[in-house]
Amino acid sequence: MIKFFLMVNKQGQTRLSRYYEHVEINKRTMLEAEVIKNCLSRSKDQCSFIEYKDFKLVYRQYAALFVVVGINETENEMAVYELIHNFVEVLDKYFSRVVRHSIYYEIFLP
């Protein structure tokens, strides 16, 4: 089961967040900061799956954007990894030129 879905730029700013389980607002901020720190600190050679507290993080980097999904331990990591890619392809079709010009983060600016 998916617990949350985050889109974060390289500066660590959250551009999109969606929670599928109740998390208090103050805890969301702390959770996002820790998750972002864990994902941004990893090199491209490292695996895109991280065990974190009582769940797993699956992330993918597209240019300046990180897409991070928090899942429970029974979920299939590869399926979520592909889900992220499909989501990004839909964004590319809807907004056009998202992938080709590496401007993901511009879509989500406030």
Side-chain angles (χ1 to χ4, degrees), residues 88-98 107:
V88 170
E89 285 182 342
V90 168
L91 286 178
D92 183 48
K93 296 283 185 199
Y94 186 78
F95 291 106
S96 73
R97 300 182 318 199
V98 173
I107 293 171

mmCIF file of all heavy atoms in Angstrom, residues 88-98 107:
data_model
loop_
_atom_site.group_PDB
_atom_site.id
_atom_site.type_symbol
_atom_site.label_atom_id
_atom_site.label_comp_id
_atom_site.label_asym_id
_atom_site.label_seq_id
_atom_site.Cartn_x
_atom_site.Cartn_y
_atom_site.Cartn_z
ATOM 1 N N VAL A 88 5.339 10.084 -14.625
ATOM 2 C CA VAL A 88 6.144 11.123 -15.267
ATOM 3 C C VAL A 88 5.841 11.190 -16.765
ATOM 4 O O VAL A 88 5.774 12.277 -17.343
ATOM 5 C CB VAL A 88 7.648 10.887 -14.996
ATOM 6 C CG1 VAL A 88 8.513 11.807 -15.837
ATOM 7 C CG2 VAL A 88 7.936 11.082 -13.523
ATOM 8 N N GLU A 89 5.608 10.045 -17.394
ATOM 9 C CA GLU A 89 5.245 10.048 -18.805
ATOM 10 C C GLU A 89 3.904 10.748 -19.027
ATOM 11 O O GLU A 89 3.729 11.486 -19.997
ATOM 12 C CB GLU A 89 5.183 8.624 -19.351
ATOM 13 C CG GLU A 89 6.539 8.007 -19.573
ATOM 14 C CD GLU A 89 6.446 6.611 -20.152
ATOM 15 O OE1 GLU A 89 5.361 5.982 -20.077
ATOM 16 O OE2 GLU A 89 7.461 6.140 -20.671
ATOM 17 N N VAL A 90 2.955 10.549 -18.120
ATOM 18 C CA VAL A 90 1.667 11.234 -18.216
ATOM 19 C C VAL A 90 1.861 12.744 -18.070
ATOM 20 O O VAL A 90 1.259 13.528 -18.814
ATOM 21 C CB VAL A 90 0.673 10.696 -17.161
ATOM 22 C CG1 VAL A 90 -0.557 11.586 -17.061
ATOM 23 C CG2 VAL A 90 0.282 9.270 -17.486
ATOM 24 N N LEU A 91 2.710 13.152 -17.120
ATOM 25 C CA LEU A 91 3.009 14.584 -16.979
ATOM 26 C C LEU A 91 3.588 15.149 -18.268
ATOM 27 O O LEU A 91 3.249 16.258 -18.684
ATOM 28 C CB LEU A 91 3.990 14.820 -15.839
ATOM 29 C CG LEU A 91 3.480 14.686 -14.425
ATOM 30 C CD1 LEU A 91 4.617 14.919 -13.440
ATOM 31 C CD2 LEU A 91 2.346 15.656 -14.162
ATOM 32 N N ASP A 92 4.474 14.381 -18.888
ATOM 33 C CA ASP A 92 5.110 14.828 -20.119
ATOM 34 C C ASP A 92 4.079 15.010 -21.232
ATOM 35 O O ASP A 92 4.109 15.988 -21.966
ATOM 36 C CB ASP A 92 6.181 13.827 -20.549
ATOM 37 C CG ASP A 92 6.927 14.288 -21.779
ATOM 38 O OD1 ASP A 92 7.358 15.457 -21.812
ATOM 39 O OD2 ASP A 92 7.074 13.486 -22.711
ATOM 40 N N LYS A 93 3.151 14.081 -21.337
ATOM 41 C CA LYS A 93 2.111 14.186 -22.372
ATOM 42 C C LYS A 93 1.175 15.363 -22.088
ATOM 43 O O LYS A 93 0.798 16.097 -22.989
ATOM 44 C CB LYS A 93 1.284 12.904 -22.440
ATOM 45 C CG LYS A 93 2.056 11.699 -22.861
ATOM 46 C CD LYS A 93 2.301 11.708 -24.330
ATOM 47 C CE LYS A 93 2.979 10.402 -24.709
ATOM 48 N NZ LYS A 93 3.649 10.460 -25.959
ATOM 49 N N TYR A 94 0.811 15.531 -20.829
ATOM 50 C CA TYR A 94 -0.144 16.572 -20.472
ATOM 51 C C TYR A 94 0.452 17.972 -20.593
ATOM 52 O O TYR A 94 -0.166 18.876 -21.143
ATOM 53 C CB TYR A 94 -0.655 16.343 -19.053
ATOM 54 C CG TYR A 94 -1.757 17.286 -18.654
ATOM 55 C CD1 TYR A 94 -3.057 17.094 -19.103
ATOM 56 C CD2 TYR A 94 -1.489 18.378 -17.843
ATOM 57 C CE1 TYR A 94 -4.070 17.967 -18.745
ATOM 58 C CE2 TYR A 94 -2.498 19.257 -17.486
ATOM 59 C CZ TYR A 94 -3.784 19.047 -17.938
ATOM 60 O OH TYR A 94 -4.775 19.916 -17.583
ATOM 61 N N PHE A 95 1.659 18.156 -20.070
ATOM 62 C CA PHE A 95 2.279 19.480 -20.065
ATOM 63 C C PHE A 95 3.192 19.718 -21.260
ATOM 64 O O PHE A 95 3.584 20.832 -21.520
ATOM 65 C CB PHE A 95 3.078 19.690 -18.773
ATOM 66 C CG PHE A 95 2.209 19.809 -17.566
ATOM 67 C CD1 PHE A 95 2.111 18.767 -16.658
ATOM 68 C CD2 PHE A 95 1.480 20.958 -17.338
ATOM 69 C CE1 PHE A 95 1.305 18.874 -15.542
ATOM 70 C CE2 PHE A 95 0.671 21.081 -16.225
ATOM 71 C CZ PHE A 95 0.584 20.033 -15.325
ATOM 72 N N SER A 96 3.582 18.683 -21.963
ATOM 73 C CA SER A 96 4.486 18.701 -23.114
ATOM 74 C C SER A 96 5.857 19.283 -22.766
ATOM 75 O O SER A 96 5.974 20.225 -22.005
ATOM 76 C CB SER A 96 3.887 19.435 -24.311
ATOM 77 O OG SER A 96 3.873 20.810 -24.113
ATOM 78 N N ARG A 97 6.861 18.704 -23.326
ATOM 79 C CA ARG A 97 8.258 19.113 -23.164
ATOM 80 C C ARG A 97 8.787 18.987 -21.741
ATOM 81 O O ARG A 97 9.824 19.538 -21.437
ATOM 82 C CB ARG A 97 8.475 20.537 -23.663
ATOM 83 C CG ARG A 97 8.157 20.731 -25.095
ATOM 84 C CD ARG A 97 8.427 22.112 -25.509
ATOM 85 N NE ARG A 97 7.969 23.035 -24.483
ATOM 86 C CZ ARG A 97 7.728 24.310 -24.668
ATOM 87 N NH1 ARG A 97 7.898 24.835 -25.829
ATOM 88 N NH2 ARG A 97 7.325 25.077 -23.676
ATOM 89 N N VAL A 98 8.123 18.287 -20.878
ATOM 90 C CA VAL A 98 8.598 18.152 -19.500
ATOM 91 C C VAL A 98 9.877 17.325 -19.485
ATOM 92 O O VAL A 98 10.879 17.734 -18.917
ATOM 93 C CB VAL A 98 7.518 17.500 -18.608
ATOM 94 C CG1 VAL A 98 8.072 17.210 -17.224
ATOM 95 C CG2 VAL A 98 6.314 18.400 -18.515
ATOM 96 N N ILE A 107 6.978 23.256 -13.446
ATOM 97 C CA ILE A 107 5.546 22.988 -13.478
ATOM 98 C C ILE A 107 4.945 23.222 -12.099
ATOM 99 O O ILE A 107 3.822 23.687 -11.966
ATOM 100 C CB ILE A 107 5.279 21.539 -13.911
ATOM 101 C CG1 ILE A 107 5.688 21.348 -15.359
ATOM 102 C CG2 ILE A 107 3.807 21.159 -13.716
ATOM 103 C CD1 ILE A 107 5.671 19.928 -15.794
#
